Amino acid sequence: MPRNSVLRGSEVLATYRCKRLEGRYQVISADLNRDGKPDLIALGEQMTELVWYENPGWQRHVIVSGVHHTINCATYDLDGDGIPEIALAYGFTMNPKTSAGSVVLLQHDGDPRKPWRIAHEIDHLPTSHRLRWADVFGDGHPVLIDAPLTGIGATGPEYRAHVPVVFYRPGEWKRTLISDANEGVQHAVTPVFWNSSKKQALLTASFSGIDLLQADSDGKWTRTEISRGNPAPWPKCGSSEAVLGHLLGTRYIASIEPWHGNQVVVYLAKGKAWTRNVIDDSFIDGHTLWTGDFDGNGQDDMVAGYRGPGHSVYIYSAKDPKGHEWQRYDVDKGGIKAAACTIADLNGDGRPDIACIGGNQLKWYANESGGTVR
């Protein structure tokens, strides 16, 4: 992957001048108007609106207003009308005593460009932080995963408490515990196809490190330790992100460590164990990490970004098919306080692009690698 051949200079989709909107936190892609083009949904802790930007003109539409301290959302088409419902977590603070942890389901009223309605109040689980839809039972019916940031009774900077991961079945919306074995700050949960092409498992990242949660055919859950993450003493231990990537003939797990940390880490399987390899330790407040095949060579690259001084977004590409050596390429060096990124083909050319959000900006980085997705 030659330097600068993958992504052209960024296109700024939205820039916000008001200081109170500095807390831009998440961007995800979903087709919200059934035109076959992925749109972008954006939220921020200091915003009181959930908004979406319509591809290709990027017109801004308000989904819902009057929601404070929004922290995460996830989309899935529950009713089959071609427009996904949106699960939203808001009322977030890091203190379980003051965190409302509201989780609601949003549904359009016929025109997705007009305000949506709260179709169901799902739960109030303090510090609800990461929402994901996942088909964890392999029956074709995804459930909503909720991974709070901390456990009840946790206080900083130690945050010593067990923290749950729960799920809700659509229609029932009953909170069901998956596991509360993770400890400290639980910053990430990622659905992955681990041992099955139909049933998803969950990778979690917390002070406990990286762990795998899997449901068996009877609905019972097992937790497998992948790694304890950064070996430093508590509270600098563990992991902050966990995503799965594939190379030619092997797979890897990528992480940012420790929590909001400085290290980009690649884990490679060695028998039943996973070896830890730090490939970059220059981050300050690392906060986003995803994998995708940007040049069509059948190998997943990594996209990683951080929010602290020097804030940047990079791509990491394996120099060998086993993932022992990696090369870093600039996507946006010093240009965005990257709180979150998403990967989607935004211009319909068959190549995955990147959109990132942070500070007061939402940016699109177009893929001009010449490769196609396999």
Side-chain angles (χ1 to χ4, degrees):
M1 182 186 294
R3 182 177 293 276
N4 296 328
S5 69
V6 176
L7 299 165
R8 71 163 185 245
S10 63
E11 177 178 348
V12 179
L13 304 185
T15 300
Y16 302 90
R17 303 299 181 188
C18 181
K19 270 193 172 181
R20 68 184 180 87
L21 296 184
E22 283 287 327
R24 294 267 150 173
Y25 193 80
Q26 186 196 24
V27 59
I28 63 173
S29 62
D31 182 3
L32 294 186
N33 57 1
R34 289 181 295 209
D35 67 352
K37 300 181 180 70
D39 308 298
L40 295 175
I41 304 172
L43 59 75
E45 291 180 77
Q46 298 176 39
M47 296 172 59
T48 58
E49 296 175 331
L50 179 68
V51 300
W52 69 283
Y53 295 88
E54 186 175 356
N55 191 349
W58 305 113
Q59 297 88 354
R60 182 180 186 271
H61 307 288
V62 175
I63 297 171
V64 66
S65 57
V67 285
H68 297 267
H69 305 293
T70 56
I71 194 68
N72 222 235
C73 66
T75 61
Y76 183 74
D77 185 6
L78 291 172
D79 58 14
D81 70 349
I83 298 176
E85 280 65 44
I86 303 173
L88 173 68
Y90 67 99
F92 173 82
T93 73
M94 292 182 60
N95 183 349
K97 295 180 180 179
T98 61
S99 176
S102 299
V103 181
V104 298
L105 186 74
L106 305 175
Q107 194 170 47
H108 70 92
D109 266 331
D111 184 352
R113 296 176 181 86
K114 294 181 179 180
W116 296 31
R117 62 185 174 88
I118 295 178
H120 193 84
E121 293 188 1
I122 297 172
D123 203 356
H124 296 280
L125 180 58
T127 76
S128 289
H129 181 254
R130 292 289 183 263
L131 300 179
R132 303 287 185 264
W133 293 97
D135 188 359
V136 294
F137 301 110
D139 58 5
H141 299 288
V143 298
L144 179 63
I145 307 297
D146 184 357
L149 186 75
T150 65
I152 299 297
T155 57
E158 295 284 319
Y159 298 103
R160 286 192 180 272
H162 287 267
V163 56
V165 181
V166 305
F167 77 87
Y168 311 90
R169 290 185 186 274
E172 300 175 2
W173 303 119
K174 176 184 176 182
R175 184 199 303 174
T176 303
L177 180 67
I178 294 174
S179 172
D180 61 0
N182 288 348
E183 296 183 81
V185 171
Q186 178 175 252
H187 195 255
V189 60
T190 308
V192 297
F193 291 101
W194 191 256
N195 291 326
S196 168
S197 60
K198 295 183 178 179
K199 183 165 66 173
Q200 291 177 290
L202 304 173
L203 282 175
T204 63
S206 69
F207 282 9
S208 300
I210 298 174
D211 293 274
L212 182 72
L213 301 173
Q214 296 174 285
D216 64 18
S217 57
D218 296 323
K220 295 181 179 179
W221 290 85
T222 59
R223 176 177 179 267
T224 303
E225 180 182 286
I226 300 296
S227 171
R228 294 187 179 181
N230 190 50
W234 190 293
K236 296 296 183 181
C237 56
S239 306
S240 190
E241 306 291 337
V243 295
L244 184 66
H246 293 84
L247 300 175
L248 298 178
T250 190
R251 61 184 176 181
Y252 65 90
I253 296 170
S255 181
I256 291 176
E257 296 177 349
W259 174 42
H260 291 177
N262 65 309
Q263 302 168 347
V264 179
V265 182
V266 172
Y267 289 92
L268 300 172
K270 188 175 183 180
K272 294 184 178 181
W274 291 82
T275 61
R276 181 176 186 268
N277 305 280
V278 178
I279 64 171
D280 193 343
D281 62 1
S282 65
F283 279 25
I284 302 174
D285 195 4
H287 205 267
T288 184
L289 180 68
W290 293 105
T291 58
D293 181 4
F294 293 102
D295 55 7
N297 67 353
Q299 299 195 136
D300 284 334
D301 309 299
M302 290 183 288
V303 178
Y306 65 100
R307 305 181 296 186
H311 43 264
S312 299
V313 178
Y314 301 120
I315 281 180
Y316 299 83
S317 181
K319 296 174 67 175
D320 66 277
K322 296 299 182 181
H324 296 295
E325 295 186 64
W326 294 77
Q327 177 69 49
R328 190 180 85 180
Y329 302 95
D330 296 341
V331 175
D332 195 347
K333 189 172 178 60
I336 187 170
K337 298 177 181 178
C341 296
T342 189
I343 299 172
D345 180 8
L346 296 177
N347 55 10
D349 65 358
R351 297 188 292 265
D353 306 310
I354 301 171
C356 295
I357 197 168
N360 65 347
Q361 293 181 315
L362 172 60
K363 289 185 175 183
W364 165 25
Y365 308 92
N367 186 342
E368 295 186 341
S369 66
T372 56
V373 181
R374 296 185 181 184

